[in-house]
Every structure is written in structure tokens, then in C-alpha cells.
């Protein structure tokens, strides 16, 4: 077995973190300029919502395949291909003369985003799972949602305001090229498993891959991610527009407060990931997270219906606290319930379902609701009901996995 330094896994975690942060530029970095883009190209609300939805649709379709392929050819290659696709999509979007080319740019970006979500998460799990520390590894990785959203919705919004959305998008593409070079030079896959672990994997090989993907905890995680990613997509795409259009806030202020939804979850993601690793149980914490999400989504909906946008901005980080308590735990529970050889496939399946249903359907339907009713309230009411079902009711069917003793470290 190839020997590695004890600090290598932390270096790989840091590089995976950097890649995931960069992914937020092609994913949501353009949304603070949505009104500007819509006015320039005369887009309806449903057309604008579809720009975000097509990214999630393509990303969701590619995610399950990316996970399976990455398990076979190496996760690093998946990450590098994802960065290349994100770069191409970014430049196509920046140069698009019409709505059709905008959609093409978002679709190519969606290919990159899909690969860049499954790759870094799987890389983190692969390096930490042998020591049974996937909870803290995923807890750290999910803080990228907060840091990445602030980076994309606030800091990158400053670039978009200063240079315009086309030149700003080009600058984002250049940044992605720099990240590609760093990943190509320094990122590496985890060494092969020790013989003892390989034997355990062989014992589990009698069960089909499909049966593992449709096992109880994997389906619970998929449901949780549909609800979470739907909320994330609506907040990232529509909340800046709501705060700019209805509340009269500036682009940067709207982007910052929308990013608070995920920024608030930075602490809970790490803390509860660590706590659940220590306890060896995750189900009750996932249920607690689902309850918080449902209650605070209800409060957010009431505040938008009443036109109290200050209270809406306060509710956003409270929703985020629940979301980022549950997300790393749901995915960790799913990956711990299957053989390690299935980690990429499970990540791809769970994240892919979340992308396709939550990331595609939610923002598009919200645009349709806006076009048909003139406001967003009915769409938010539907989100509260979906959150109660997917993030609170479904986790009751989860089952904690008996924790095995940690494997010996790769190197003493």
C-alpha cells in the first residue's frame, strides 16, 4: 500500500474545499445580476427561473453517472473534467448574444457543477471514512455552501456590479482556470484499501448496486436533499430578486442577506458533524434539523406574505441553521450504510436527486407562480409543505448504523 503523510488527508480536504468554493461561481454567481440580464434580454420570470433550473437539471442528470465512473477511474479525473466544463460554460454564458446561448452556457455549467459536487464530497469521504470520521469531513465540506454563497452572492456580486455581468462572468472563468491548475498539480486520490478492508468489501459484494442505492437510509438522504436543495435554489435565485424588486435593496445588500441563509450553517455543520461522530448516532439530530427547517420556513413565508422583508432576512439564517445541521448527517448516514466502494455512487445518487427535483423544479415553479399570481407567496407555502414532508416526516424511517471500530491509520 502506498504510504502517505498523516496530514495528507487534511491537505486533500483543503483542496476539495477550494474546488467546491470555486464551483459556486458557475452555479449561482450570476444570480445577483438576474434583473440586469432579464432587462437586457427581455426575459419573463419563468424564463429567468429556467436559467437556474437548467443548471440543476443537467447537473442532477450527470451526478449519478459521475459518482459511479469516479469510483472506477478516480475522483480526481472527475474533478478536473468538471472544472473544464465549468470554465467553458462560464465563457459561453458571458458571451451569449441571446436567450438560447444563455441556456447553453447554463447547461454546460450544469455539467461542470454536477461533477464538482460529487467529486469533492467523495474525495473527502474517501480520505476520512477509514477512520470513521466522515461526519466531521462532510461537516467541513458543507460549510462551503456558506462560504461559497457569500463568495458568489456578495464578493463576486461586487465584481459584477463593477464590471457588468458579462465582463464579471469572464473574470469568474479566469478564476476557475487558476483553480484547475492547482487541482491538477496537487490533488490526488486516496490509496487503495488495505487487504483487510478489501476482504470486507468482497463480503458485501453479493448485493447488487441498485439494491444498495434504494436502501432505506439512502432514500431518506435523497428526500432530505430534495427539500434542502429546493430551498437553496429558491433562496439563491429568487431571494436577491425579491429583496431588490419588492424591498428596494441594493444588489450587494440583497446578495449578502441571501447568502446568510448558508453562512449561518457553517458552525452547525461542523459542530453537529463532530457530535454525531462521537455519539455514533445521527437520526435524532436529522429529525431535529427537519423540525427547525419546517418551523423557520413557515416564519419566512409569513414574513414575505406580510411584506416584512427585514424579518424575512432574519429568518433566512435560521432556516440555514436547520439545513446545515441535517445535510452532512443525512449524507454521512447514507454512505455509512453501504460498502465504501459505493461511496461515489451513493453521493451521486443523493446529490443528483436533490439537484434534479429540488434544484430544477423549485426555482422554475417559483417563476411560474410569480407569472401567474403576481407574487411569490403561494410558491413559499408549497415549499413549507414539501419541507415538512421531505425533511421531517421521511427521516422518521431512517435507521442508525452500528458503528464499527475505526480502522488503523494509513501511517502511524
Amino acid at each position: 500500500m502506498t504510504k502517505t503523510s498523516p496530514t495528507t488527508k487534511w491537505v486533500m480536504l483543503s483542496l476539495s474545499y477550494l474546488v467546491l468554493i470555486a464551483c459556486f461561481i458557475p452555479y449561482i454567481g450570476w444570480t445577483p445580476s438576474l434583473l440586469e440580464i432579464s432587462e437586457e434580454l427581455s426575459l419573463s420570470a419563468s424564463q429567468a427561473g429556467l436559467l437556474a433550473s437548467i443548471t440543476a437539471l443537467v447537473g442532477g442528470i450527470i451526478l449519478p453517472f459521475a459518482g459511479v465512473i469516479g469510483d472506477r477511474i478516480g475522483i480526481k479525473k472527475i474533478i478536473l473534467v468538471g472544472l473544464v466544463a465549468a470554465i467553458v460554460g462560464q465563457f459561453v454564458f458571458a458571451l451569449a448574444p441571446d436567450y438560447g446561448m444563455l441556456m447553453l452556457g447554463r447547461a454546460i455549467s450544469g455539467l461542470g457543477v454536477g461533477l464538482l459536487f460529487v467529486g469533492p464530497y467523495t474525495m473527502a469521504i474517501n480520505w476520512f471514512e477509514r477512520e470513521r470520521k466522515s461526519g466531521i469531513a462532510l461537516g467541513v465540506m458543507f460549510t462551503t455552501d456558506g462560504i461559497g454563497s457569500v463568495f458568489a452572492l456578495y464578493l463576486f456580486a461586487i465584481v459584477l456590479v463593477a464590471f457588468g455581468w458579462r465582463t464579471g462572468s469572464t473574470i469568474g472563468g479566469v478564476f476557475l482556470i487558476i483553480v484547475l491548475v492547482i487541482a491538477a498539480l496537487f490533488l490526488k486520490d486516496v490509496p487503495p484499501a488495505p487487504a483487510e478492508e478489501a476482504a470486507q468489501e468482497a463480503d458485501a459484494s453479493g448485493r447488487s448496486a441498485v439494491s444498495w442505492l434504494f436502501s432505506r437510509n439512502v432514500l431518506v438522504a435523497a428526500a432530505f436533499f430534495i427539500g434542502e436543495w429546493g430551498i437553496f435554489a429558491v433562496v439563491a435565485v429568487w431571494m436577491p430578486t425579491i429583496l431588490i424588486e419588492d424591498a428596494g435593496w441594493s444588489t450587494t445588500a440583497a446578495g449578502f442577506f441571501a447568502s446568510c441563509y448558508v453562512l449561518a450553517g457553517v458552525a452547525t455543520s461542523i459542530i453537529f458533524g463532530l457530535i454525531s461522530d462521537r455519539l455514533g448516532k445521527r437520526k435524532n439530530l436529522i429529525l431535529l434539523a427537519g423540525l427547525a427547517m419546517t418551523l423557520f420556513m413557515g416564519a419566512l413565508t409569513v414574513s414575505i406574505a406580510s411584506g416584512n422583508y427585514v424579518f424575512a432576512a432574519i429568518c433566512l439564517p435560521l432556516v440555514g441553521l436547520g439545513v446545515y445541521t441535517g445535510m452532512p448527517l443525512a449524507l454521512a448516514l447514507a454512505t455509512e450504510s453501504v460498502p465504501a466502494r459505493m461511496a461515489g455512487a451513493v453521493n451521486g445518487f443523493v446529490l443528483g436527486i436533490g439537484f434534479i427535483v429540488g434544484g430544477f423544479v423549485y426555482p422554475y415553479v417559483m417563476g411560474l407562480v410569480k407569472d401567474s399570481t403576481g407574487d411569490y407567496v403561494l410558491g413559499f407555502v408549497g415549499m413549507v409543505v414539501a419541507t415538512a414532508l421531505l425533511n421531517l416526516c421521511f427521516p422518521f424511517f431512517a435507521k442508525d448504523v452500528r458503528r464499527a471500530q475505526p480502522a488503523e491509520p494509513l501511517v502511524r
Side-chain angles (χ1 to χ4, degrees):
M1 179 181 64
T2 303
K3 289 188 176 182
T4 59
S5 166
T7 61
T8 300
K9 64 179 181 291
W10 293 103
V11 175
M12 296 303 107
L13 184 66
S14 299
L15 291 172
S16 299
Y17 197 94
L18 172 64
V19 170
L20 211 46
I21 290 292
C23 177
F24 280 82
I25 288 181
Y27 184 29
I28 60 172
W30 58 279
T31 57
S33 296
L34 183 57
L35 281 177
E36 181 185 354
I37 296 169
S38 297
E39 290 172 0
E40 180 179 327
L41 298 175
S42 301
L43 306 182
S44 67
S46 56
Q47 285 178 313
L50 192 57
L51 281 176
S53 293
I54 193 65
T55 306
L57 177 62
V58 175
I61 291 173
I62 196 64
L63 267 165
F65 300 101
V68 173
I69 295 170
D71 284 339
R72 295 183 178 182
I73 69 172
I75 297 300
K76 177 178 178 176
K77 293 178 181 177
I78 293 295
I79 292 174
L80 296 182
V81 173
L83 283 167
V84 171
I87 291 166
V88 173
Q90 193 74 13
F91 284 114
V92 171
F93 184 76
L95 300 173
D98 53 35
Y99 182 67
M101 288 299 290
L102 279 180
M103 287 287 287
L104 178 61
R106 299 309 314 146
I108 298 173
S109 293
L111 173 62
V113 168
L115 296 174
L116 292 179
F117 268 97
V118 72
Y121 282 122
T122 305
M123 180 73 74
I125 290 173
N126 287 347
W127 278 99
F128 281 79
E129 172 61 19
R130 291 177 189 172
E131 298 178 25
R132 298 297 186 261
K133 293 181 179 178
S134 57
I136 183 60
L138 286 171
V140 170
M141 289 300 293
F142 275 112
T143 67
T144 58
D145 279 10
I147 304 302
S149 293
V150 171
F151 176 62
L153 295 177
Y154 180 62
L155 296 179
F156 191 62
I158 296 174
V159 175
L160 295 175
V161 170
F163 296 96
W165 71 271
R166 292 186 183 275
T167 302
S169 296
T170 302
I171 293 172
V174 173
F175 176 76
L176 290 170
I177 292 174
I178 295 172
V179 174
L180 172 63
V181 173
I182 294 172
L185 291 176
F186 301 109
L187 199 61
K188 57 184 177 182
D189 290 306
V190 68
E196 181 180 349
E197 292 186 26
Q200 293 173 353
E201 288 288 296
D203 292 339
S205 63
R207 185 171 174 180
S208 69
V210 173
S211 68
W212 284 116
L213 290 180
F214 286 91
S215 57
R216 179 190 309 187
N217 288 344
V218 175
L219 292 177
V220 167
F224 196 96
F225 271 75
I226 290 172
E228 178 281 324
W229 232 310
I231 296 173
F232 177 87
V234 168
V235 170
V237 174
W238 286 113
M239 278 309 300
T241 300
I242 292 171
L243 295 175
I244 294 168
E245 189 177 36
D246 294 347
W249 293 16
S250 68
T251 299
T252 52
F256 174 76
F257 279 96
S259 67
C260 285
Y261 157 77
V262 283
L263 186 61
V266 168
T268 55
S269 182
I270 296 176
I271 291 171
F272 284 98
L274 180 60
I275 289 174
S276 66
D277 278 346
R278 297 283 178 85
L279 293 176
K281 296 181 179 180
R282 309 197 192 275
K283 176 180 176 178
N284 289 340
L285 292 175
I286 296 171
L287 287 169
L288 178 63
L291 177 62
M293 289 170 63
T294 303
L295 293 176
F296 290 128
M297 273 301 301
L300 175 64
T301 300
V302 171
S303 65
I304 291 175
S306 63
N308 189 343
Y309 297 105
V310 173
F311 187 61
I314 294 173
C315 288
L316 285 173
L318 297 178
V319 175
L321 289 176
V323 168
Y324 289 95
T325 296
M327 274 206 324
L329 307 187
L331 188 57
L333 186 59
T335 56
E336 289 163 354
S337 303
V338 303
R341 62 183 169 83
M342 292 285 297
V346 167
N347 283 344
F349 178 77
V350 171
L351 297 176
I353 293 295
F355 253 77
I356 292 174
V357 183
F360 174 76
V361 173
Y362 279 53
Y364 181 56
V365 169
M366 188 64 74
L368 291 177
V369 169
K370 169 64 173 174
D371 279 342
S372 60
T373 67
D375 60 39
Y376 302 92
V377 175
L378 186 59
F380 277 93
V381 171
M383 287 174 61
V384 174
V385 175
T387 302
L389 177 64
L390 297 169
N391 300 97
L392 181 56
C393 294
F394 267 75
F396 275 102
F397 298 98
K399 183 178 181 180
D400 281 314
V401 178
R402 178 171 291 183
R403 311 282 288 168
Q405 291 298 317
E408 290 295 319
L410 294 178
V411 177
R412 294 183 183 277

